Amino acid sequence: AIKKGYAIELDVRLTKDNHVIVFHDKNLKRMTGFDSDVNMTTLEQIKTLTLLETSATIPELVEALEFINGSVPILLEIKSSGLSHNLDKLVYSVIKEYEGSIAVQSFNPLSIRWFAKNAPSIARGILLRGNLKYAIANRFKDNLHMLFSKPNFVAYKYENLVKTDFSQLRKDGLIVLGWTVGENMLNTREFTAHCDNIILEAE
């Protein structure tokens, strides 16, 4: 991503002993073979694991930031649930002095609301799936999440985004991202009809 000049989307979770690590899955098994949830595993245990059949290890957030060092923007997904703001507070303590471009996002509206109240200088976004099977109920829930969390941007599941009209909200200044799509869409630019930018999986 750095070589191509792409912004980097990272997922962060909290270990059992309250360290912020960069890792997508709730459980470690798929990527390391060790069957344990991240929040039930200490950082010391996690540092003994390697990713699949490589020598790469799971970094702490602070290590990832030191490596990226402002070379490209960062979009940080906070993998939180429930009422606790422990992860939000620890993430902010790490990123508040970071000199590069950085924004946070989460499916948890409580996390984004926390950033709106306690760290308004950090750009923040709410992640929405927009399941169209129950369109009215989900639109109502999505609208509530947007009103409650006070985001600077919305990241919406792309396959549902193309069937959803955000045109007026975009005119009013809301930034809309589409997730997750292939890198080839950067070439076609077709996404611009539906959103301002995309979160992609590099191929």
Side-chain angles (χ1 to χ4, degrees):
I2 292 173
K3 287 178 181 177
K4 292 186 176 185
Y6 292 171
I8 298 175
E9 196 260 6
L10 299 174
D11 303 281
V12 291
R13 291 186 178 275
L14 203 58
T15 66
K16 183 179 181 180
D17 49 348
N18 290 321
H19 290 271
V20 183
I21 65 165
V22 177
F23 199 71
H24 174 274
D25 295 1
K26 179 181 178 181
N27 188 281
L28 293 155
K29 185 174 182 179
R30 181 176 70 92
M31 292 301 296
T32 70
F34 182 63
D35 189 5
S36 178
D37 286 353
V38 171
N39 66 355
M40 298 300 293
T41 313
T42 66
L43 181 65
E44 183 178 8
Q45 291 173 300
I46 285 170
K47 284 299 184 181
T48 67
L49 305 174
T50 56
L51 296 169
L52 298 179
E53 301 187 12
T54 72
S55 60
T57 58
I58 298 168
E60 291 183 75
L61 175 59
V62 65
E63 293 174 311
L65 296 184
E66 287 172 358
F67 181 82
I68 298 167
N69 193 30
S71 56
V72 293
I74 298 172
L75 182 54
L76 203 63
E77 181 178 339
I78 300 172
K79 294 285 192 179
S80 67
S81 60
L83 301 175
S84 173
H85 290 295
N86 197 17
L87 179 55
D88 304 320
K89 293 174 183 177
L90 288 170
V91 165
Y92 181 56
S93 72
V94 173
I95 69 174
K96 64 182 180 180
E97 302 299 333
Y98 183 67
E99 294 185 358
S101 297
I102 194 164
V104 297
Q105 64 179 4
S106 181
F107 281 105
N108 185 352
L110 294 172
S111 285
I112 302 309
R113 174 79 172 197
W114 186 91
F115 274 89
K117 291 176 64 177
N118 298 283
S121 63
I122 303 292
R124 60 197 180 274
I126 187 74
L127 280 154
L128 301 172
R129 289 188 175 88
N131 186 339
L132 297 175
K133 185 176 180 181
Y134 305 103
I136 296 175
N138 278 286
R139 177 60 65 84
F140 180 72
K141 182 191 73 173
D142 288 351
N143 287 341
L144 281 180
H145 281 190
M146 285 192 284
L147 286 169
F148 176 77
S149 61
K150 302 183 183 301
N152 302 121
F153 65 91
V154 169
Y156 210 81
K157 190 173 183 181
Y158 190 78
E159 63 189 66
N160 294 330
L161 177 62
V162 298
K163 304 170 187 175
T164 305
D165 185 8
F166 274 103
S167 58
Q168 187 57 53
L169 289 174
R170 292 174 72 188
K171 288 178 183 176
D172 292 342
L174 182 69
I175 297 169
V176 179
L177 308 181
W179 61 271
T180 306
V181 298
E183 194 173 10
N184 65 304
M185 194 172 289
L186 284 176
N187 299 322
T188 66
R189 306 291 293 179
E190 66 180 76
F191 67 86
T192 57
H194 309 288
C195 57
D196 301 290
N197 214 326
I198 52 176
I199 299 171
L200 59 83
E201 288 182 326
E203 298 165 353

